[in-house]
Amino acid sequence: MPRQRDVGAQRELLSNATWQVLAEDGLPGLTLRAVAERAGCTTGLVMHAFPTKKALLLHARDLLYERTAVRADAAEAASADAFEALDAVLGCAIDLPHGHYEESRVWVGFLAAALADPDLAERHRVANHSFLARVRRLIAACRPEWTDARLELATKSLVALAEGFNVLAAADPVAYPAKVQQEALAKALTELGLARA
């Protein structure tokens, strides 16, 4: 009787290999062969799970979103109130203090690729809108008296600050060290009236 494959375990193996290739070699280095070599399997096995490079890319983009969403969920759940949750969730989006440099590099690669690929662009928009909605919900919990316009501006300002640091620190971590990122976020929250009193 032929042995049944553990499809879930194979997909996990390939997901981890895909992530390692992206983190070390960027999007240009992501090939079916590179993933197979990293996973210690044949390209045939990779192609069985991901028939095209595009399928592999979309899976990797979804994997990035899942990883960051899980971390944000945990940060929010561990917070005592909305102010602390907002700070923690935005802190997760800033890369260096949390040691997610690889994710930052992968995210920047996907952002660049999304400019020329409508499917990746749509994945990016969905993930970005989800993050915006989370931050806006937390700000509204902190400041229920604010108007929609004020909530919108604060949300986009804070997300742009966090994502901007993510992009810039991925390329030049010396110029954007963890301390600078943390201090800039704390200052922005204070100036917007979103730091816990």
Side-chain angles (χ1 to χ4, degrees), residues 54 57-58 112-122:
K54 180 73 168 273
L57 274 174
L58 293 174
L115 299 176
D117 185 314
D119 294 326
L120 283 174
E122 180 59 21

Side-chain angles (χ1 to χ4, degrees), residues 35-174:
V35 171
E37 286 175 5
R38 194 62 51 96
C41 67
T42 65
T43 55
L45 179 62
V46 177
M47 291 183 71
H48 182 72
F50 306 105
T52 64
K53 180 176 178 177
K54 180 73 168 273
L56 189 61
L57 274 174
L58 293 174
H59 170 71
R61 180 62 184 95
D62 292 342
L63 183 62
L64 174 61
Y65 173 73
E66 289 166 16
R67 287 172 75 138
T68 56
V70 164
R71 195 167 50 252
D73 287 344
E76 190 173 340
S79 298
D81 59 26
F83 290 97
E84 187 177 313
L86 179 63
D87 185 36
V89 166
L90 288 167
C92 285
I94 291 177
D95 178 60
L96 291 177
H98 301 283
H100 304 298
Y101 179 71
E102 286 181 356
E103 285 181 12
S104 220
R105 292 188 63 216
V106 171
W107 186 85
V108 170
F110 274 118
L111 182 60
L115 299 176
D117 185 314
D119 294 326
L120 283 174
E122 180 59 21
R123 289 290 214 290
H124 173 75
R125 281 190 294 272
V126 167
N128 182 255
H129 290 178
S130 177
F131 186 52
L132 285 166
R134 182 192 296 266
V135 172
R136 183 184 173 111
R137 175 178 49 77
L138 291 171
I139 293 172
C142 295
R143 298 294 180 208
E145 73 279 9
W146 283 9
T147 64
D148 284 344
R150 189 167 180 188
L151 285 171
E152 185 79 6
L153 181 59
T155 298
K156 290 188 176 169
S157 297
L158 289 169
V159 168
L161 175 74
E163 299 294 15
F165 271 129
N166 225 349
V167 171
L168 295 168
D172 190 359
V174 174

